[in-house]
Amino acid sequence: MQKSSRVSEAVIRRLPKYYRYLKDMQKSGVERISSKELSKKMGLTASQIRQDFNCFGGFGQQGYGYHVSELCDEIRKILGLDKEYNVIIAGAGNLGQALANYVGFEKEGFNIRAMFDVNPRLVGLSIRGVQILDIDSMGDYIVNNEIQVGIVCVPKAKAQEVTDEMVKRGIKSIWNFAPVDVEIPENVAVENVHLSDTLYTLSYKMNED
Ligand code: NAI
């Protein structure tokens, strides 16, 4: 299986969903699944699924379908979830603490090493063993601890400044929860997570005639 350099954004966006479904099936002991069954479960057409998997050299065999564990492992590798990452969180307020409290990220290799905040009442505390440190020490911490991923949970007005510091110190991946699309250089990956966008979409659907 080869990663093609021209995999479209749309395919990349579907991979986590494939992974989620396959992981659940693997956990429930499902050994194999036909492309028809998988497509029904996922609300995609069988041909769409085949096309998506063809971007990576294709999995599955005619007449057999997909071997769930193998496919799940392949997608895990494609997503880079077979590795370990060092992660920090900037902003140890409600959201930052909630993320630090969640055990699911480390199960997939995202190890939260420290949190950073400006509030002296938070500095020195620990959340599930993760220390909250002064934001002024973030830059050196990134360099000294080979941090690859920065999670931004500061207020909107501070998000760009915090992101810039992360990038300046060598972080190559930003997961931003502040309600602003932060700007980053081309060689840095960013995912802006705007939770309220989905809430507003829900609101639209609720109010559709
Ligand atoms: P919060 O006010 O509880 O926490 C923000 C934290 O950032 C505070 O502890 C504050 O001291 C710290 N901070 C402020 N300036 C800083 C700086 N320059 N460097 C480091 N830390 C700094 O806010 P909350 O609820 O945790 O939200 C954080 C961000 O996530 C906000 O941008 C918010 O809009 C966004 N968000 C929050 C959601 C939520 O469910 N709580 C949902 C969606 C987005």
Side-chain angles (χ1 to χ4, degrees):
M1 180 270 317
Q2 289 265 303
K3 256 195 212 191
S4 156
S5 56
R6 280 186 297 154
V7 176
S8 76
E9 178 82 12
V11 177
I12 296 166
R13 297 253 163 233
R14 278 194 289 275
L15 286 176
K17 187 171 171 182
Y18 287 123
Y19 181 58
R20 185 156 46 83
Y21 273 74
L22 289 161
K23 211 169 61 165
D24 281 351
M25 284 187 258
Q26 191 183 28
K27 261 194 196 153
S28 342
V30 179
E31 277 178 27
R32 79 189 230 201
I33 188 162
S34 69
S35 59
K36 201 170 152 196
E37 278 173 288
L38 185 61
S39 65
K40 221 158 98 190
K41 263 185 189 292
M42 294 200 51
L44 294 166
T45 65
S47 101
Q48 174 79 83
I49 291 178
R50 266 194 305 273
Q51 265 179 39
D52 283 356
F53 292 168
N54 278 342
C55 298
F56 303 99
F59 317 106
Q61 289 162 27
Q62 200 87 40
Y64 178 88
Y66 299 106
H67 191 289
V68 171
S69 291
E70 276 174 20
L71 184 53
C72 191
D73 287 350
E74 288 298 341
I75 294 181
R76 180 182 288 116
K77 273 189 226 153
I78 292 167
L79 285 169
L81 298 175
D82 55 334
K83 299 180 193 150
E84 297 281 322
Y85 301 99
N86 292 325
V87 180
I88 55 160
I89 300 177
N94 290 305
L95 188 59
Q97 292 193 22
L99 294 176
N101 266 314
Y102 180 57
V103 294
F105 301 133
E106 66 212 30
K107 285 192 184 148
E108 296 293 357
F110 294 90
N111 303 300
I112 300 170
R113 301 297 184 200
M115 304 173 79
F116 297 89
D117 207 286
V118 279
N119 184 343
R121 276 181 297 176
L122 291 173
V123 172
L125 302 180
S126 286
I127 308 296
R128 216 169 51 84
V130 179
Q131 265 214 311
I132 304 175
L133 306 173
D134 193 301
I135 189 72
D136 288 342
S137 63
M138 186 176 76
D140 287 345
Y141 189 95
I142 293 169
V143 175
N144 295 333
N145 294 278
E146 294 178 18
I147 303 299
Q148 291 110 335
V149 182
I151 306 182
V152 177
C153 292
V154 296
K156 183 179 173 180
K158 298 291 172 192
Q160 189 63 54
E161 181 185 314
V162 163
T163 302
D164 289 347
E165 174 69 358
M166 287 177 171
V167 170
K168 194 174 118 195
R169 298 307 186 118
I171 282 188
K172 290 277 185 280
S173 305
I174 303 284
W175 199 22
N176 169 41
F177 284 84
V180 54
D181 291 338
V182 288
E183 287 175 20
I184 38 95
E186 251 179 32
N187 62 342
V188 175
V190 66
E191 278 295 309
N192 294 297
V193 184
H194 300 317
L195 290 180
S196 42
D197 285 6
T198 62
L199 180 62
Y200 304 156
T201 307
L202 178 66
S203 173
Y204 176 87
K205 289 179 178 170
M206 280 161 66
N207 290 291
E208 254 178 329
D209 294 326

